[in-house]
Amino acid sequence: MIKAVTGGIASLVDLYKPEISFEENLKAFLKPNSYYSILAPRIVKEYFRTPESYNTLLYGIATGKKRISELAELSGYANNKCDKYIKSLISAGIVKRIEFKSNKGTTQARYEMSNEYFCFWYRYIFTHANYENESVFEAIMKYVKNVSVKRVFRKECEYWLEKNYYAYWYTNAEFYFHDERCLRNVKLNGTTFDAVFQNYGDYIFVKYFDTIGEHCTKPDWDEIEEATTKFNRLENNTYILFSIHRFSEYCWKISSKYDNLRLVQMTSFLPTYDNFHILPHRVGDDY
């Protein structure tokens, strides 16, 4: 959760006090004139002489406006002016452009914050959310757990997959995450996988357990095995499962039985852990 609100920015991570709860740390972050509260506008001001011209666009992106047309409607700027401002934000590294194929096959673009800290700041601090109000703070915590943590966790999973594409000890084959053979959000026999990679008759199935408190349990594994073995023989499949929490004892037993099941445990998303570990067959290596 620390990464979800700091974006991994070292000076913000250093503010975190492990001797108190995450909730108390976050309340301290949200206080007016705290370093956490003043850093984002300070950065934007360093890049732009008139930061107020960009604030509405950043607020829009933080609250789910992903396209130029949506941001233009929110800000009141003409599309070409909005596009110009967005390009400046991309050059500054604050916003990123993501291209995707529409249902008609045309290339389109959406825009996201490059760092989760800016997304959180513009969503709550920019709007002067009253965190001292209990219901408001509960809503903020719900957003952190259900949106921010999942988003950052998934990015870390993708980063891990990209950096380990050559690791034969976990896939038995090269796995290029951005290869056209890698399909995203695949529903197979009623079970959804975050990625499925086809490699000459063999398949790699990737699934994220990205909810705080969620574990991969026996019913989860049974569902995964049933869905995939209807599609392809078990020995021709590789499974890569990611979890914020420790995996269940059942999963460890199964991973010692199957050499094609890889468990990747990322405990850095919990305030009580400092590292995340790659744990195939319950052998931990620092990432």
Side-chain angles (χ1 to χ4, degrees), residues 207-242:
K207 190 169 180 63
Y208 309 145
F209 290 87
D210 58 6
T211 301
I212 293 177
E214 181 183 25
H215 295 267
C216 180
T217 61
K218 182 180 184 301
D220 293 323
W221 170 252
D222 289 344
E223 180 182 305
I224 290 170
E225 186 176 20
E226 182 179 1
T228 55
T229 52
K230 285 181 179 179
F231 177 74
N232 203 34
R233 296 178 63 182
L234 180 66
E235 56 267 29
N236 293 333
N237 296 335
T238 295
Y239 304 91
I240 308 174
L241 308 182
F242 291 85

Side-chain angles (χ1 to χ4, degrees), residues 79-90:
N79 277 25
N80 61 341
K81 184 177 181 180
C82 187
D83 185 62
K84 179 182 177 181
Y85 283 165
I86 290 295
K87 286 179 178 177
S88 296
L89 289 165
I90 292 172

Side-chain angles (χ1 to χ4, degrees), residues 6-285:
T6 64
I9 297 173
S11 60
L12 297 179
V13 175
D14 285 345
L15 298 176
Y16 190 85
K17 298 178 180 178
E19 64 271 16
I20 62 177
S21 68
F22 175 83
E23 288 80 0
E24 291 303 314
N25 272 284
L26 184 56
K27 287 178 180 179
F29 290 172
L30 291 170
K31 287 182 178 179
N33 300 319
S34 69
Y35 177 75
Y36 186 94
S37 292
I38 66 175
L39 180 60
R42 181 184 293 176
I43 292 173
V44 174
K45 190 174 182 180
E46 286 179 359
Y47 280 105
F48 308 109
R49 288 178 296 176
T50 55
E52 59 276 4
S53 301
Y54 298 86
N55 282 337
T56 302
L57 298 177
L58 290 168
Y59 168 74
I61 294 173
T63 53
K65 310 295 183 184
K66 304 294 186 182
R67 303 191 183 191
I68 290 293
S69 58
E70 295 173 331
L71 294 168
E73 182 180 358
L74 175 71
S75 64
Y77 299 151
N79 277 25
N80 61 341
K81 184 177 181 180
C82 187
D83 185 62
K84 179 182 177 181
Y85 283 165
I86 290 295
K87 286 179 178 177
S88 296
L89 289 165
I90 292 172
S91 297
I94 298 172
V95 169
K96 61 182 178 180
R97 173 189 169 96
I98 299 174
E99 294 187 349
F100 64 97
K101 294 286 186 181
S102 69
N103 293 334
K104 296 181 179 180
T106 59
T107 300
Q108 297 186 7
R110 67 176 188 268
Y111 300 91
E112 296 180 359
M113 294 292 196
S114 296
N115 187 282
E116 200 66 31
Y117 164 64
F118 282 96
C119 194
F120 184 87
W121 194 94
Y122 274 94
R123 188 179 183 92
Y124 290 111
I125 298 179
F126 177 69
T127 58
H128 305 289
N130 180 15
Y131 76 90
E132 294 183 347
N133 181 295
E134 185 175 345
S135 61
V136 172
F137 188 75
E138 286 180 359
I140 292 173
M141 282 299 302
K142 184 176 180 180
Y143 172 82
V144 171
K145 292 179 178 180
N146 297 336
V147 179
S148 295
V149 168
K150 287 186 178 184
R151 191 159 52 209
V152 176
F153 177 71
R154 286 170 175 267
K155 289 177 182 177
E156 292 287 346
C157 292
E158 291 192 9
Y159 178 80
W160 189 90
L161 288 166
E162 289 170 0
K163 294 301 180 182
N164 288 277
Y165 70 89
Y166 52 83
Y168 291 91
W169 56 268
Y170 87 89
T171 62
N172 300 322
E174 292 185 352
F175 175 21
Y176 296 96
F177 192 63
H178 290 294
D179 190 290
E180 62 182 8
R181 291 174 294 170
C182 188
L183 304 178
R184 311 294 181 90
N185 299 317
V186 177
K187 193 166 187 178
L188 185 64
N189 295 318
T191 301
T192 301
F193 294 91
D194 294 279
V196 176
F197 183 79
Q198 182 181 3
N199 188 58
Y200 305 110
D202 294 338
Y203 286 82
I204 299 171
F205 296 94
V206 179
K207 190 169 180 63
Y208 309 145
F209 290 87
D210 58 6
T211 301
I212 293 177
E214 181 183 25
H215 295 267
C216 180
T217 61
K218 182 180 184 301
D220 293 323
W221 170 252
D222 289 344
E223 180 182 305
I224 290 170
E225 186 176 20
E226 182 179 1
T228 55
T229 52
K230 285 181 179 179
F231 177 74
N232 203 34
R233 296 178 63 182
L234 180 66
E235 56 267 29
N236 293 333
N237 296 335
T238 295
Y239 304 91
I240 308 174
L241 308 182
F242 291 85
S243 178
I244 294 178
H245 284 267
R246 296 183 182 279
F247 286 92
S248 67
E249 288 298 321
Y250 180 80
C251 283
W252 294 124
K253 291 178 182 178
I254 291 296
S255 70
S256 63
K257 177 182 177 182
Y258 296 148
D259 61 4
N260 56 347
L261 171 59
R262 311 304 184 212
L263 306 181
V264 186
Q265 180 177 295
M266 295 188 175
T267 54
S268 67
F269 283 83
L270 302 176
T272 53
Y273 294 94
D274 297 320
N275 301 307
F276 60 81
H277 301 282
I278 303 167
L279 297 168
H281 315 313
R282 210 165 192 164
V283 178
D285 298 304

